Amino acid sequence: MNMSRARERLVVIGGDAAGMSAASQARRLKGPGELEIVAFERGHFTSYSACGIPYWVGGDVTDRDELVARTPEEHRARDIGLRLRTEVTELDLDGQRVRARDVDSGEESWTSYDKLVIATGARPIRPDMPGADAAGVHGVQTLDDGQALLDTLEGTRGRRAVVVGAGYIGVEMAEALIKRGYEVTVVNRGSEPMSTLDPDMGRLVHEAMEGLGITMVNDAEVTKILTGDDGRVRAVATQEGEFPADVVVLGIGVRPETALAKAAGLPLGPHGGLLTDRSMRVRGQGNVWAGGDCVEVLDLVSGQERHIPLGTHANKHGQVIGTNAGGGYATFPGVVGTAVSKVCDLEIARTGLREKDAHRVGFRFESVTIESTSRAGYYPNASPMTVKMLAEHRTGRLLGVQIVGREGAGKRVDIAAVALTAGMTVEQMTALDLGYAPPFSPVWDPVLVAARKASAKVRGSL
Ligand SMILES: Cc1cc2nc3c(=O)[nH]c(=O)nc-3n(C[C@H](O)[C@H](O)[C@H](O)COP(=O)(O)OP(=O)(O)OC[C@H]3O[C@@H](n4cnc5c(N)ncnc54)[C@H](O)[C@@H]3O)c2cc1C
């Protein structure tokens, strides 16, 4: 501990999911008499849900404040010294201090620490091309971005929207714009939307989106964003042609925000994220932790490091970091890559490895796809569901599951996430004691039907 201070100081960089979870958990374990906590956030908000932005833009959530889990005032009331609109610009690891700049006044100062948490999140990828910054072109990373998009939607008479990118954010934004009454075109570089699925499952999403009236343009690279005389966006140009647009939403992915960490010489992985040990401590550092979208995580199925920017991980990382920084003990074992999203009433879920991941890692595998229903076939509103399952050749170990269907399809992936975490074989899965009644599933749940088929294929009896 710094001898000139009576109590330890924990400095947190980043005031959202990972950073404020860490700060809050450390505060639960150590009172203000023992631990001073200072958190820097360059934006206007703390503990906000970017995950809720598509539903706010789409009108399901009407009040922006509902997306803020804990305000700056609420954090301050719990003795967390929050420095809002203050950006950390340099890490001095030897001197155990950070340099920060007040975003509004430009004033700079150094703050020393005993323990440091880096929770700087991810930076959205912005295309480096003419027109990318034009009026009417929006990202959806922060609540300020969401508000700016809503302002544009309210001030625009035209009704044509182009979404660039067909990952889950692009797909969710397509739904939001449909709900706002826009004609939506999704321009996608990949062969099918949702590249976190295998293309055969992505195809189902593609067809369902077309069924919703969304124009899908695959295998299309955006070359230019065209503007009118007023400087506003008027179209998105690709090699496939031009797509008129009154508003453009960009959802083309993110990269770990690790410029500060890199400049300080901290270890980065192949995807540009910070590397940590199981306690979320930055490798080689005694008193520096990192979590959330700025780190790489261990994929428990492939055994490789990956960058998977999801709020569900960021919150768990923050909890682990706060426990350790607060003098307790906790670890984060890794992830199996579970994600769920939706476009209108189509639910899309995945966990584990896709075929191309399994090939890359060197697994030989069997793959099965089954069609089933969300409820007993005779029960009202039973809807179709497709489940794809990958199992390791010979051992039958579950490797991955993808599900596309209507109500009740998406969260079924959690059965597979648990099975993957437990290292189960598809044969073991067939005997899982899942709940059954006609309103909830067929007597053989669709996940179990897939497991039976995969198990038969592994045994060579199919
Ligand atoms: C539209 C959208 C929908 C999403 N939907 C889902 C979903 O359904 N499910 C899911 O699991 N995840 C979802 N996510 C992802 C999820 O929001 C992120 O994974 C999560 O917010 C990551 O938390 P974090 O704390 O690591 O980073 P962030 O939330 O990015 O927070 C980092 C904070 O650090 C601040 N910061 C960065 N650098 C500095 C600096 N030098 N000084 C001071 N402050 C700094 C930033 O301003 C930011 O507030 C979604 C994201 C978006 C954009």
Side-chain angles (χ1 to χ4, degrees):
M1 184 171 54
N2 184 316
M3 298 314 286
S4 60
R5 285 198 309 272
R7 52 184 181 158
E8 274 192 324
R9 181 182 289 153
L10 171 67
V11 164
V12 176
I13 313 174
D16 194 23
M20 296 322 287
S21 295
S24 302
Q25 175 64 2
R27 176 53 78 229
R28 270 180 218 116
L29 299 183
K30 280 205 168 154
E34 284 180 288
L35 182 70
E36 180 188 5
I37 304 178
V38 180
F40 291 94
E41 168 54 53
R42 67 183 171 200
H44 291 101
F45 301 95
T46 52
S47 305
Y48 54 92
S49 172
C51 315
I53 291 173
Y55 308 102
W56 173 36
V57 173
D60 300 298
V61 177
T62 49
D63 185 354
R64 181 192 64 195
D65 292 348
E66 288 178 44
L67 301 186
V68 178
R70 207 168 268 170
T71 63
E73 294 70 35
E74 287 170 316
H75 284 299
R76 287 187 184 118
R78 304 178 81 231
D79 281 305
I80 294 171
L82 195 68
R83 306 268 299 275
L84 215 55
R85 303 283 292 153
T86 311
E87 178 169 38
V88 173
T89 53
E90 189 179 342
L91 307 182
D92 172 8
L93 297 175
D94 293 334
Q96 296 206 164
R97 56 184 193 154
V98 301
R99 190 213 297 262
R101 183 173 58 85
D102 184 304
V103 174
D104 299 312
S105 68
E107 218 168 273
E108 293 203 338
S109 60
W110 287 95
T111 303
S112 58
Y113 62 81
D114 300 292
K115 295 172 174 174
L116 177 67
V117 177
I118 304 174
T120 45
R123 182 170 18 98
I125 298 169
R126 290 286 169 262
D128 182 18
M129 64 180 61
D133 295 329
V137 180
H138 293 270
V140 284
Q141 186 76 9
T142 64
L143 297 188
D144 287 336
D145 292 340
Q147 187 61 60
L149 172 58
L150 278 169
D151 291 345
T152 291
L153 298 181
E154 265 144 42
T156 306
R157 275 207 305 278
R159 278 280 169 271
R160 295 160 310 176
V162 173
V163 176
V164 182
Y168 79 92
I169 291 180
V171 159
E172 289 175 2
M173 288 311 300
E175 168 181 339
L177 291 160
I178 285 275
K179 284 186 168 162
R180 289 254 160 202
Y182 278 74
E183 270 171 48
V184 179
T185 300
V186 176
V187 176
N188 172 32
R189 187 158 67 171
S191 62
E192 295 293 355
M194 294 299 297
S195 62
T196 50
L197 304 178
D198 285 322
D200 52 340
M201 295 296 279
R203 183 79 206 163
L204 303 178
V205 179
H206 177 155
E207 287 163 3
M209 289 178 79
E210 282 184 338
L212 293 165
I214 297 169
T215 304
M216 300 296 297
V217 185
N218 290 323
D219 296 311
E221 193 82 45
V222 174
T223 51
K224 215 183 213 180
I225 294 180
L226 304 168
T227 51
D229 294 340
D230 56 359
R232 294 191 59 78
V233 63
R234 69 170 175 81
V236 169
T238 73
Q239 297 100 329
E240 307 296 308
E242 283 180 23
F243 300 93
D246 303 299
V247 60
V248 171
V249 174
L250 301 173
I252 48 179
V254 296
R255 296 218 172 86
E257 178 70 277
T258 47
L260 279 178
K262 188 175 180 194
L266 292 174
L268 303 183
H271 310 284
L274 274 156
L275 294 176
T276 70
D277 65 15
R278 284 197 159 214
S279 68
M280 302 307 299
R281 203 184 297 262
V282 175
R283 286 186 202 163
Q285 298 293 312
N287 60 345
V288 184
W289 288 264
D293 285 3
C294 65
V295 303
E296 298 193 2
V297 287
L298 176 64
D299 179 334
L300 296 170
V301 190
S302 69
Q304 296 179 346
E305 308 283 349
R306 291 176 61 195
H307 181 238
I308 307 181
L310 286 176
T312 174
H313 304 162
N315 280 285
K316 291 175 188 131
H317 291 168
Q319 179 81 10
V320 167
I321 293 170
T323 301
N324 292 322
Y329 173 69
T331 58
F332 184 80
V335 302
V336 293
T338 312
V340 61
S341 53
K342 76 178 193 72
V343 52
C344 297
D345 64 349
L346 187 81
E347 300 184 357
I348 307 155
R350 54 99 61 228
T351 189
L353 307 184
R354 297 164 298 183
E355 289 195 8
K356 73 172 177 189
D357 304 317
H359 283 303
R360 192 191 64 239
V361 176
F363 281 121
R364 257 180 87 184
F365 60 90
E366 310 294 350
S367 162
V368 297
T369 302
I370 63 103
E371 306 289 337
S372 183
T373 51
S374 57
R375 308 167 200 258
Y378 56 81
Y379 193 86
N381 301 324
S383 57
M385 185 183 310
T386 306
V387 180
K388 178 169 182 174
M389 186 172 281
L390 269 55
E392 189 183 9
H393 181 66
R394 296 231 313 240
T395 71
R397 175 187 162 199
L398 178 69
L399 294 179
V401 169
Q402 298 161 39
I403 306 178
V404 175
R406 311 278 158 180
E407 191 196 348
K411 284 293 276 179
R412 274 190 160 89
V413 81
D414 289 344
I415 305 167
V418 173
L420 272 176
T421 306
M424 292 176 78
T425 65
V426 285
E427 178 145 7
Q428 287 169 331
M429 283 180 78
T430 62
L432 281 174
D433 185 16
L434 306 182
Y436 159 67
F440 299 100
S441 73
V443 68
W444 283 91
D445 188 275
V447 174
L448 299 189
V449 176
R452 278 174 58 178
K453 191 166 176 189
S455 175
K457 204 162 176 188
V458 169
R459 283 199 311 269
S461 55
L462 195 72

